[in-house]
C-alpha cells in the first residue's frame, strides 16, 4: 500500500545549511540555453495514444490533447486496439458506442478532429500503420495477400504403385500467435513436386527428381519409378495465418499480416493504409499529421512468397528447388505434416544453402517490405518511425531505413535499449533515436508507478543513446471526468494521462525529460570505431548489405561513410565472409584503412561454390598475417581489436579518448557546433563524490541541471593539455550535464576538494572569489587546492535545524470524490489513520502550517533547504504563496531560500499519492459490474462489460467504490 509518509518517525525538517551563498549562473542567452529553458515540441517526449475499440469521443480527444500540451508532450501516435487488451483478446462487452467501428464515419470524423486539434495546439500526431500494434496488415489482407510459408505433404511410392497417383493436399494450420481465434485456412498454391529415395537421410543432388511437369492437381502425378521406394513431396505455399494484434473489436478474426517479402502486396497494404487517410485527413498531412509507425516485430516467421524461386536464382545464381527438402519444419513450432531434416550432398553444403536461403529472406523483408512503405510515406510528406528488430531481417539495415529508428525499454529494466539501434543510427547519420518508453508488465505497473520509480530506466535509456522518449502509454479517455482512472490498455503499460493522480506535479518530471532530450539531441553522439552487423563497446555499426552498397572512402587514414561519420578502424568478428565483403575490405585497406578481425576462412553461402572460398582465401592471404602494412597508403590488418587499438594509440588524433569516470557512473558524449555535451548519471543507490576526466581542453566546464533548468560554472576542476578533470557530486540516481562551450574564464578556481571523513551531504555551487561553496550536515575540516598549488583548510559549518512538528491542516483532494479537511497534530502513515477515507486516500493532500524565521539568519549568506525525510509519491512546495519547486525522487530536498521572510512564514506541501490506495479500498466494497477472467494475484482481472448504470450515466450502486477502471490489479 502506498502512503505519503512511510515512516511516522520522519517529520518534516527545515535545514538551514550554513555556507557561502554565491550563485553565479551563466548570464549568456545563447540559442542552446533558450532551447534548454523552453524545449520546442519536437524535443519533448511523445506518447503512444491508444484508442480502445469503439471507445473514442471528440470531447475526450480534445481533453487528451490539451492535457498533453499542458504537460509538455510534443506529440502522439494513435493505435487502434481492442477494447480490452489481454491474452484472450476478448473485448469489453456493452460498449457505449457500438456503431463506432474501425473506419466507420464516426472514426474518420474523430481522426479529423484529432488532427485539427493537434494543429490548433501545435502538436504532432501520427498513426500506427496497422490495426493492433504489430506489424503491417489489416482487414484488407486475405490469405493470398498474407505472409506465406512453405507447406507440404509426402507420399511414399514404389514401382508397384506407380502410374497416376493422387497427392494429398498439405494440412493448413494457422499460426495465430498471441490471442488465437481458431482461424481456419483454405488457400494454398503448388510450388513443386520433388521425389527422393525413401528413408535416406543424406541425398545426392542427382537423386532429387523434379516431377512438377508430371503433376496436375486434378488428375494427380503420372510417374512410375524405375526401382526402389521413393518419397514424393508436394511443396506448396500458404498463409501463415498470423493476424495483426490486438485488433479493434469488430475486426477480431478478420485480419491478416501482409506478405512482407512481396513488393506487390506491400504496395497493396500501404495503399489501403494511406489512400483513405489522405482522403479523410489530407488537409493535415505534413502539418499536424506527420508520421506513421511500424512497431516492434511480432508477426512470426515467413519463408516464401510468389516469385521467391526466381528472386533467389537472380541473387544467388542457382535454383533453390532441390534444396527445399533440407528445410525441415517450414516454421518453427508448427504442428503439421513435416519431414525429417534431410542433408543434400553433405552437412556443410546444406548449411551453406540454409545461409543463402535466410539471407534472401532478410533482403526481401527490407527491399520488398519496409522500403516500399518508407518510399510511399515520403511521397505523402510523412516520416517513418520504426522499431526494426525481432523479425527475420537485418536490424542495422532497418535502422538505416527509418526516419526515426526506435528501441524499447520496460519499467523493470535499467532502461537500456538494444545497443544495435543507436549504434546503427549513428553510422547512418540519424541524430535522433527514439524509444518506446516505460512499457510495463502487470507486476510492475499497477497504478503504483511514480516519477521516482521511472527515473532509473529513463536515465538508463538516455545513457544508452536514446534522445526521444515515446511514453507507453497515454490511453485515450473518451468518458467524462467522473470516471477515473478510466480506460487502460488492459494490463499493460505505465499509466500516463490526464487521469493520473500526479498529472499536475508530474509536469516537473516531463520537463526533466524534455531538458535532457534538448541537450542529447544536439549534434552527434561520439562513437569510437565501426563494426559490421554487431557493435562492440561504444562503436557504431553498419549492416553487411549497406556496407556492400555504400560508397565508402578512406581519408587521412580514417574510414568515411556516406553519412559523413568517420572512424579510425573497421572491426568484424566472423570468420565466414562473402567474397564481395572480402574484396571491399581489401580495397579499403589498400586506401589506408585499419581493419581488425579474425582471418576469414571461407564464404558462408553456396553461391559460386567452390570458387567463392578460393576468392576469400586469396584475399585473406594478401591481408594477413596480422600487423603487416598493406599497400602504399599504409593500411593495416590486425587479427584482434586489442592489437589494432594499441597500434592506433601511437598515432595522435586517430583514437577517441573516452571519458574516465568511476564504475557505476554512466556517461554519454555529444559533440555539436555549440561545444561538447556530456551526460552523466549515478547508477548506484548511494551518493557519490568523484572526479571525471573529459577529453576537452581550453574550455570552461559548466553544470547544466535538467531537473530545474539551472546552469552554473563547475566549482572544482583542472585542465591538463587536452583533458579536463571535474570533481562532481551526484545523489543516488541523480544526473548532470557537463557542457564545454566557452573559453576558460576563471583562472583561480579550485582544482581539488577533499571533504572530511564525517561529511554526510555535500552541495557544490559556484566559486565565491577564490573560495568554494561547500555546505554540509555535519562538521569537520575540508581542504581545497588552487592552480597556484596553494592548499587551504577550513571548517565546515554545522547547520542550524528547525523541526516543523505541526499541527498541520490537511486538505484532501481526491480526484474521484469530494474534498475534505482534517487537522493532524503530528504526521503519521495513512495506514495508521482510523478513517477509511484517509487510509485508502489517493490524490493530493495539501499540508499547511506556519513557522517563524529569525531575522538574523536571513542577514547572513545561507541556503535554506526543506527536507521531508521520506514521502510518497511527489510533492509541490509553496512558501508564502511562492512556488519553490516540485520534489519527485529522493532525497526529496527543495531549496526555499528565495521565498522565506523574517518572522512568520506560511508553508504548503502538496503531496500526491498514486491510485493504488483508493483501488485497494474499493476492493473492500461490493462490485457493481461483472468481473472478467481472473488472471491471478500478480496480474489482476478485467471488467468484463461496461455496466448498465455506467452506460445510462446513473448513480453507482456501490457507493463505497470511488475509482472506475477497466482493469483491476
Amino acid at each position: 500500500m502506498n502512503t505519503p509518509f512511510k515512516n511516522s518517525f520522519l517529520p518534516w525538517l527545515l535545514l538551514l545549511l550554513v555556507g557561502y551563498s554565491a550563485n553565479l549562473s551563466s548570464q549568456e542567452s545563447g540559442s542552446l540555453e533558450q532551447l534548454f529553458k523552453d524545449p520546442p515540441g519536437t524535443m519533448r517526449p511523445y506518447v503512444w495514444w491508444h484508442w480502445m475499440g469503439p471507445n473514442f469521443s471528440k470531447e475526450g480527444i480534445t481533453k487528451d490533447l490539451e492535457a498533453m500540451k499542458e504537460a509538455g508532450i510534443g506529440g502522439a501516435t494513435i493505435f487502434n486496439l481492442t477494447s480490452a487488451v489481454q491474452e484472450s483478446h476478448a473485448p469489453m462487452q456493452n460498449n457505449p458506442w457500438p456503431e463506432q467501428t474501425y473506419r466507420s464515419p464516426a472514426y474518420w470524423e474523430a481522426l479529423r478532429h484529432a488532427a485539427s486539434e493537434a494543429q490548433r495546439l501545435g502538436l504532432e500526431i501520427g498513426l500506427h500503420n496497422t490495426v493492433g500494434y504489430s506489424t503491417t496488415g489489416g482487414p484488407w489482407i486475405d490469405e493470398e495477400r498474407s505472409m506465406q510459408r512453405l507447406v507440404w505433404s509426402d507420399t511414399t511410392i514404389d514401382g508397384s504403385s506407380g502410374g497416376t497417383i493422387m497427392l494429398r493436399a498439405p494440412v493448413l494450420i494457422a499460426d495465430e500467435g498471441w490471442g488465437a481465434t481458431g482461424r481456419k485456412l483454405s488457400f494454398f498454391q503448388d510450388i513443386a513436386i520433388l521425389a527422393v529415395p525413401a528413408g535416406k537421410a543424406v541425398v545426392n543432388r542427382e537423386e532429387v527428381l523434379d516431377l512438377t511437369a508430371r503433376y496436375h492437381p486434378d488428375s494427380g502425378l503420372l510417374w512410375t519409378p524405375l526401382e526402389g521406394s521413393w518419397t514424393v513431396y508436394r511443396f506448396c505455399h500458404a498463409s501463415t495465418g498470423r493476424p495483426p494484434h490486438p485488433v479493434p473489436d469488430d475486426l477480431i478474426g478478420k485480419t491478416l499480416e501482409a506478405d512482407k517479402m512481396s513488393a506487390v502486396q506491400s504496395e497493396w497494404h500501404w495503399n489501403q493504409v494511406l489512400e483513405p487517410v489522405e482522403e479523410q485527413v489530407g488537409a493535415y498531412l505534413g502539418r499536424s499529421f506527420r508520421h506513421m509507425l511500424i512497431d516492434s516485430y511480432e508477426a512470426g516467421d515467413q519463408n516464401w512468397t510468389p516469385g521467391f524461386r526466381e528472386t533467389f536464382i537472380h541473387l544467388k545464381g542457382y535454383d533453390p528447388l532441390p534444396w527445399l527438402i533440407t528445410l525441415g519444419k517450414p516454421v518453427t513450432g508448427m504442428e503439421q505434416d513435416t519431414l525429417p531434416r534431410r542433408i543434400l550432398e553433405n552437412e556443410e553444403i546444406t548449411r551453406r544453402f540454409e545461409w543463402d536461403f535466410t539471407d534472401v529472406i532478410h533482403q526481401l523483408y527490407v527491399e520488398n517490405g519496409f522500403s516500399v512503405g518508407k518510399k510511399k510515406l515520403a511521397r505523402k510528406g510523412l516520416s517513418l518511425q520504426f522499431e526494426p528488430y525481432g523479425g527475420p531481417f537485418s536490424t542495422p539495415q532497418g535502422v538505416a531505413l527509418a526516419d526515426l529508428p526506435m528501441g524499447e525499454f520496460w519499467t523493470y529494466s535499467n532502461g537500456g535499449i538494444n545497443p544495435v539501434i543507436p549504434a546503427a543510427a549513428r553510422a547512418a547519420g540519424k541524430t535522433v533515436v527514439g524509444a518506446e518508453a516505460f512499457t510495463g508488465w502487470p507486476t510492475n505497473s499497477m497504478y503504483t508507478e511514480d516519477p521516482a520509480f521511472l527515473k532509473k530506466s529513463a536515465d538508463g535509456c538516455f545513457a544508452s543513446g536514446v534522445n526521444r522518449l515515446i511514453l507507453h502509454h497515454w490511453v485515450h479517455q473518451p468518458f467524462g471526468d467522473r470516471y477515473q482512472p478510466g480506460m487502460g490498455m488492459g494490463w499493460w503499460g505505465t499509466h500516463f494521462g490526464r487521469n493520473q493522480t500526479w498529472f499536475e506535479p508530474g509536469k516537473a518530471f516531463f520537463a526533466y525529460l524534455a531538458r535532457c532530450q534538448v541537450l542529447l539531441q544536439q549534434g552527434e553522439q561520439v562513437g569510437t570505431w565501426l563494426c559490421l552487423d554487431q557493435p562492440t563497446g561504444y562503436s557504431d555499426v553498419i549492416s553487411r548489405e549497406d556496407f556492400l552498397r555504400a560508397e565508402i572512402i578512406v581519408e587521412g587514414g580514417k574510414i568515411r561513410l556516406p553519412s559523413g561519420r568517420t572512424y579510425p578502424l573497421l572491426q568484424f568478428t566472423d570468420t565466414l565472409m562473402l567474397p564481395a565483403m572480402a574484396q571491399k575490405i581489401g580495397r579499403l585497406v589498400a586506401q589506408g584503412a585499419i581493419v581488425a578481425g579474425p582471418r576469414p576462412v571461407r564464404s558462408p553461402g553456396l553461391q559460386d561454390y567452390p570458387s567463392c572460398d578460393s576468392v576469400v582465401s586469396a584475399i585473406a592471404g594478401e591481408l594477413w598475417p596480422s600487423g603487416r602494412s598493406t599497400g602504399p597508403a599504409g593500411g593495416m590488418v590486425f587479427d584482434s581489436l586489442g592489437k589494432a587499438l594499441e597500434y592506433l594509440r601511437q598515432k595522435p588524433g586517430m583514437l577517441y579518448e573516452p571519458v574516465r569516470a568511476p564504475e557505476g557512473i554512466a556517461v554519454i558524449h555529444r559533440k555539436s557546433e555549440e561545444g561538447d555535451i556530456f551526460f552523466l548519471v549515478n547508477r548506484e543507490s548511494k551518493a557519490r563524490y568523484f572526479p571525471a576526466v573529459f577529453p576537452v581542453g581550453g574550455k570552461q566546464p559548466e553544470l547544466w541541471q535538467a531537473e530545474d533548468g539551472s546552469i552554473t560554472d563547475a566549482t572544482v576542476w583542472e585542465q591538463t593539455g587536452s583533458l579536463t578533470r571535474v570533481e562532481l557530486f551526484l545523489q543516488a540516481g541523480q544526473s548532470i550535464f557537463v557542457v564545454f562551450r566557452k573559453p576558460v574564464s576563471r583562472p583561480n578556481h579550485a582544482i581539488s576538494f577533499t571533504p572530511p571523513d564525517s561529511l554526510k551531504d555535500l552541495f557544490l555551487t559556484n566559486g565565491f572569489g577564490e573560495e568554494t561553496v561547500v555546505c554540509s550536515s555535519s562538521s569537520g575540516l575540508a581542504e581545497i587546492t588552487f592552480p597556484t598549488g596553494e592548499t587551504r583548510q577550513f571548517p565546515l559549518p554545522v547547520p542550524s535545524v528547525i523541526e516543523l512538528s505541526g499541527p498541520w491542516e490537511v486538505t484532501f483532494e481526491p480526484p474521484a470524490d469530494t474534498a475534505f479537511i482534517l487537522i493532524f497534530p503530528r504526521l503519521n502513515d495513512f495506514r495508521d489513520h482510523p478513517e477509511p477515507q484517509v487510509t485508502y486516500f489517493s490524490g493530493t493532500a495539501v499540508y499547511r502550517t506556519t513557522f517563524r524565521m529569525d531575522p538574523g539568519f536571513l542577514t547572513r549568506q545561507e541556503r535554506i533547504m526543506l527536507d521531508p525525510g521520506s514521502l510518497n509519491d511527489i510533492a509541490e512546495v509553496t512558501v508564502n504563496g511562492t512556488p519553490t519547486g516540485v520534489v519527485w525522487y529522493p532525497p526529496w530536498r527543495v531549496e526555499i531560500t528565495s521565498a522565506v521572510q523574517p518572522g512568520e512564514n506560511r508553508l504548503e506541501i502538496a503531496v500526491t499519492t498514486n491510485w493504488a490506495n483508493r483501488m485497494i479500498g474499493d476492493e473492500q466494497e461490493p462490485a457493481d459490474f461483472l468481473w472478467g477472467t481472473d488472471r491471478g494475484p500478480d496480474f489482476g482481472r478485467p471488467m468484463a462489460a461496461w455496466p448498465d448504470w455506467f452506460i445510462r450515466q446513473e448513480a453507482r450502486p456501490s457507493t463505497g467504490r470511488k475509482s472506475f477502471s477497466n482493469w483491476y490489479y
Side-chain angles (χ1 to χ4, degrees), residues 520-817:
L520 292 172
Q521 289 183 23
Q522 300 304 308
E524 292 185 317
Q525 183 185 343
V526 176
T528 50
W529 54 85
L530 180 65
C531 291
L532 288 173
D533 288 324
Q534 286 292 329
T536 59
Y538 288 105
S539 65
D540 292 0
V541 64
I542 187 172
S543 69
R544 182 182 68 251
E545 296 83 359
D546 288 335
F547 178 80
L548 286 172
R549 296 173 185 172
E551 188 174 333
I552 302 174
I553 59 175
V554 183
E555 295 178 338
K558 289 194 173 184
I559 299 165
R560 178 180 291 275
L561 297 184
S563 65
R565 298 276 286 187
T566 61
Y567 306 93
L569 70 95
L570 170 70
Q571 182 194 13
F572 63 90
T573 58
D574 198 348
T575 59
L576 304 182
M577 183 176 290
L578 290 172
M581 292 286 292
Q583 290 165 346
K584 187 155 191 176
I585 288 173
R587 290 195 297 271
L588 293 176
V589 172
Q591 296 170 24
I594 307 300
V595 174
R599 178 172 179 158
V601 296
R602 64 171 177 83
S603 174
L606 191 56
Q607 183 179 13
D608 296 328
Y609 178 80
S611 63
C612 57
D613 288 0
S614 300
V615 172
V616 172
S617 178
I619 294 173
E622 294 173 4
L623 299 181
W624 277 263
S626 178
R628 184 181 67 187
S629 180
T630 302
M636 299 281 282
V637 176
F638 297 89
D639 59 13
S640 73
L641 177 64
K643 292 178 182 178
L645 295 178
E646 183 179 351
Y647 170 78
L648 285 168
R649 289 190 183 100
Q650 303 170 16
K651 301 174 75 66
M654 287 292 285
L655 265 187
Y656 168 71
E657 180 77 22
V659 178
R660 297 200 291 269
E663 186 176 354
I665 305 297
V667 186
I668 200 165
H669 180 191
R670 306 279 300 190
K671 182 178 283 291
S672 73
E673 294 180 358
E674 295 257 6
D676 290 87
I677 299 168
F678 299 86
F679 174 74
L680 295 90
V681 59
N682 179 9
R683 304 294 284 164
E684 296 193 353
S685 57
K686 61 182 179 180
R688 300 283 300 276
Y689 180 70
F690 62 94
V693 180
F694 300 91
V696 180
K699 292 186 178 181
Q700 169 73 45
E702 301 173 313
L703 306 183
W704 293 47
Q705 181 48 263
E707 291 175 23
D708 58 11
S710 62
I711 302 173
T712 62
D713 286 343
T715 303
V716 185
W717 55 279
E718 180 181 21
Q719 291 191 357
T720 304
S722 59
L723 301 176
T724 302
R725 180 180 59 82
V726 182
E727 296 196 22
L728 298 167
F729 176 78
L730 292 177
Q731 295 283 0
Q734 188 179 12
S735 67
I736 193 75
F737 285 91
V738 181
V739 179
F740 297 84
R741 58 177 182 140
K742 59 185 182 183
V744 173
S745 60
R746 295 177 52 226
N748 295 321
H749 61 86
I751 62 173
S752 71
F753 170 77
T754 305
D757 293 338
S758 61
L759 193 67
K760 295 178 181 177
D761 297 289
L762 181 67
F763 299 86
L764 298 178
T765 60
N766 289 306
F768 183 71
E770 291 187 349
E771 304 292 344
T772 301
V773 181
V774 181
C775 297
S776 170
S777 62
S778 61
S779 62
L781 284 176
E783 184 176 277
I784 58 174
T785 304
F786 294 92
T788 59
E790 179 185 7
T791 298
R792 301 181 188 177
Q793 288 187 334
F794 59 94
L796 294 178
V798 178
S800 303
V801 179
I802 300 175
E803 181 177 331
L804 305 182
S805 56
W808 300 81
E809 179 189 274
V810 186
T811 301
F812 290 85
E813 300 172 350
D817 203 1

Side-chain angles (χ1 to χ4, degrees), residues 864-876:
I864 305 173
M865 308 294 293
L866 185 70
D867 185 350
S870 179
L871 63 84
N872 279 335
D873 290 288
I874 185 170
E876 297 176 274

Side-chain angles (χ1 to χ4, degrees), residues 148 150 190-194 205 208-213 235 237 259 261-262 303-324 327 353 356-357 360-361 364 368:
Q148 302 293 298
L150 285 168
D190 283 296
I191 298 173
I193 310 299
L194 301 180
R205 172 64 184 84
V208 181
L209 306 181
D210 183 359
L211 306 179
T212 307
F235 281 98
H237 66 87
D259 185 339
M261 292 161 57
S262 166
N303 63 5
W304 200 263
T305 189
F308 181 87
R309 179 186 181 186
E310 292 74 17
T311 301
F312 187 99
I313 293 171
H314 172 72
L315 292 175
K316 299 300 180 181
Y318 67 95
D319 193 341
L321 212 59
W323 299 89
L324 298 186
L327 293 177
F353 162 73
D356 283 343
F357 188 76
V360 171
I361 292 172
L364 292 182
N368 287 356

Side-chain angles (χ1 to χ4, degrees), residues 841-907:
F841 176 77
S842 289
T844 300
V846 183
Y847 295 76
R848 295 181 177 89
T849 192
T850 60
F851 63 91
R852 293 194 62 80
M853 177 62 66
D854 186 336
F857 282 121
L858 300 180
T859 62
R860 301 194 296 270
Q861 294 178 325
E862 297 169 342
R863 300 173 70 199
I864 305 173
M865 308 294 293
L866 185 70
D867 185 350
S870 179
L871 63 84
N872 279 335
D873 290 288
I874 185 170
E876 297 176 274
V877 178
T878 302
V879 178
N880 299 319
T882 300
T884 58
V886 176
V887 287
W888 50 272
Y889 78 102
W892 312 108
R893 295 191 188 99
V894 60
E895 183 172 354
I896 61 173
T897 310
S898 61
V900 172
Q901 62 190 22
E904 186 170 270
N905 289 262
R906 291 175 289 108
L907 173 66

Side-chain angles (χ1 to χ4, degrees), residues 188-247:
F188 66 91
Q189 186 72 45
D190 283 296
I191 298 173
I193 310 299
L194 301 180
V196 297
K200 290 190 68 174
V202 180
V203 180
N204 295 325
R205 172 64 184 84
E206 58 271 16
E207 292 180 300
V208 181
L209 306 181
D210 183 359
L211 306 179
T212 307
R214 296 172 176 265
Y215 175 73
H216 190 279
D218 295 331
S219 56
L221 174 66
L222 182 59
W223 179 63
T224 301
L226 298 178
E227 60 182 14
S229 180
W230 293 76
T231 299
V232 177
Y233 295 105
R234 180 183 180 184
F235 281 98
C236 310
H237 66 87
S239 173
T240 66
R242 183 63 69 100
H245 65 273
V247 300

